[in-house]
Amino acid sequence: MSNPKQDDSVIQHLYFQDDGVIPNHPNLPVLLYKGIWRSEPARAEFNLNRNGWGNSWINGVFDYHHYHSNAHEALAVMSGFVKLILGGEKGQKVYLESGDVVVLPAGTGHKRLEASSDFRIAGAYPGGMSYNTRTGKPGDRPEVLQEIQEVPVPGTDPVYGEGGPLTKLWLNRRF
C-alpha cells in the first residue's frame, strides 16, 4: 500500500498546556489522523517503519498518565478501539479506533481510560529514537523541560513520509 493521498485539512490539531505535573509540549500540537489507515490497519507498524518511524512495538497503552520527554511518538490503532485522555488529568478525552493515528510531541501526557478486548496499537518514534517513560515526578521537572525543548522536529511524517504535513506544521510552530 502506498501512502494515502495527502489532505492536510483532515488532520486535527490539539494543544495542551503544562498542568504542573504533565508538561506537554509548549509549542507543538498533537496531530490526529482519523481513519487514515482504515483500509489496512493491520499494516500500521509496517507503514510507520516505511515512513522513517522505528523502534516500533505492538501492544496497548498504559492505564496511567505518562509521557516521553526525549522523543515524539506515533500511535496507530491496528484493531479495536481505545479511549485515551491526552494532556494530563484535565486534558482532553479522545476516542481512537482501527485505522486512526495520533502523533504525540515530546512531553504530551497520555493514559488509557478504556479499550475493547481486541484493542492493539503500534507505536513508533522518528528515526527509531530511544524513548523514556516519565510519570510526572516533581524532581524530574527541570530536566524534562529541557529534554522536551531539545527533541528535533522529525524529518518525515509517520503517515505520509517525506514532505508530509507534520514536518511543515511542526516546523512553523517550533518556537
Side-chain angles (χ1 to χ4, degrees), residues 148-163:
I148 290 165
Q149 287 291 338
E150 293 173 358
V151 178
V153 170
T156 61
D157 183 292
V159 172
Y160 295 103
E162 286 188 32

Side-chain angles (χ1 to χ4, degrees), residues 122-144:
Y125 309 86
M129 294 176 77
S130 293
Y131 61 93
N132 60 23
T133 301
R134 305 286 194 164
T135 57
K137 294 178 183 169
D140 291 345
R141 294 257 333 147
E143 180 183 354
V144 299

